[in-house]
Amino acid sequence: MLTLRGLEGLPEVQSGDDLARLLLDGMLHSGAEPADGDVVVVCHKVVSKAEGRLVELKRLRPTKIARAWAAEYGRDPREVQAVLGEARDMVRVQRGVLVTETRHGFVCANSGVDRSNVPEGHVCLLPEDPDGSARELADRLSESTETRLGVVITDTWGRPFRLGAVNVAIGIAGAPALHDYRGQPDFAGRTLQSSTMATADELAGAAGLVMGKLRRIPAVLAQGVPSHPGAEPGTGASLLRSRGEDIFR
């Protein structure tokens, strides 16, 4: 049975903090006892903060295009510049929202640049390498607990055809990203043709119910995570749809 335990008691994370140590302290504070196969789900914001990915807006110098878009949509030109600085392609600009493809390959609003839960006058950027950050955390946590732990780093994204935002996996280590059911028979005996489930996103979404938006629970220990024979650990990058398969652009 899947159980989700919020890791409480973590302090406000600062640049340079040992996040793995803080997560271990959170496990101890919350009475969590990790076991092989458990997955630590961590919101990207604490990862970004520990890695020094907060940017002070007054240090940014908006370009002409950033100033123009900011004026048109009533936004801070410095924040628009932060969005452009994290983008490698512009997908859509509408009603003040800049949908971009980030340098990581993520297609999301505002390049993942976020002003919530950060000091006034700052914005938070996504980690430089979410999969690398997940690997480092997984290695540290597994070594310290003497267990085989996975890590999923999440961000909260909107969806083009659904209201509301959900947690999705942007960095993964030691846990499957996808489970492919293609070629297996369904209960009626039909062979499945296109059923590939984003298991890491499902886990991220479930953990989001525990984290909430205002609960100050930035990490969750997921225990009893369903496993599938032959499932290999995945990455956040493996969840990205290639341009050739993207029918919306």
Side-chain angles (χ1 to χ4, degrees), residues 55-60 76 78-79 82 115 121-123:
V55 174
E56 195 172 11
L57 288 173
K58 70 180 183 181
R59 296 181 179 275
L60 297 177
D76 186 327
R78 301 168 301 175
E79 185 178 358
R115 298 184 74 164
H122 292 71
V123 292

Side-chain angles (χ1 to χ4, degrees), residues 47-109:
V47 178
S48 293
K49 287 179 177 179
E51 294 179 352
R53 296 284 285 164
L54 291 188
V55 174
E56 195 172 11
L57 288 173
K58 70 180 183 181
R59 296 181 179 275
L60 297 177
R61 296 292 178 265
T63 60
K64 183 177 181 180
I65 190 170
R67 294 195 300 271
W69 278 344
E72 182 175 355
Y73 295 111
R75 295 187 56 173
D76 186 327
R78 301 168 301 175
E79 185 178 358
V80 174
Q81 185 59 47
V83 172
L84 296 179
E86 292 296 295
R88 71 183 183 193
D89 191 19
M90 189 63 61
V91 177
R92 183 180 294 272
V93 182
Q94 191 167 346
R95 294 194 295 272
V97 178
L98 283 68
V99 179
T100 68
E101 181 178 338
T102 72
R103 291 180 288 105
H104 319 81
F106 304 140
V107 176
C108 58

Side-chain angles (χ1 to χ4, degrees), residues 37 148 175-181 184 195-200 202 224-233:
R148 179 176 47 81
L178 297 160
H179 181 66
D180 190 349
Y181 288 94
Q184 298 183 39
S195 296
T196 302
M197 304 301 295
T199 53
E202 291 181 318
V225 179
S227 60
H228 302 280
E232 296 291 335

Side-chain angles (χ1 to χ4, degrees), residues 106-130:
F106 304 140
V107 176
C108 58
N110 299 316
S111 301
V113 175
D114 192 357
R115 298 184 74 164
S116 65
N117 297 317
V118 298
E120 185 65 31
H122 292 71
V123 292
C124 184
L125 312 182
L126 296 177
E128 286 273 8
D129 178 8

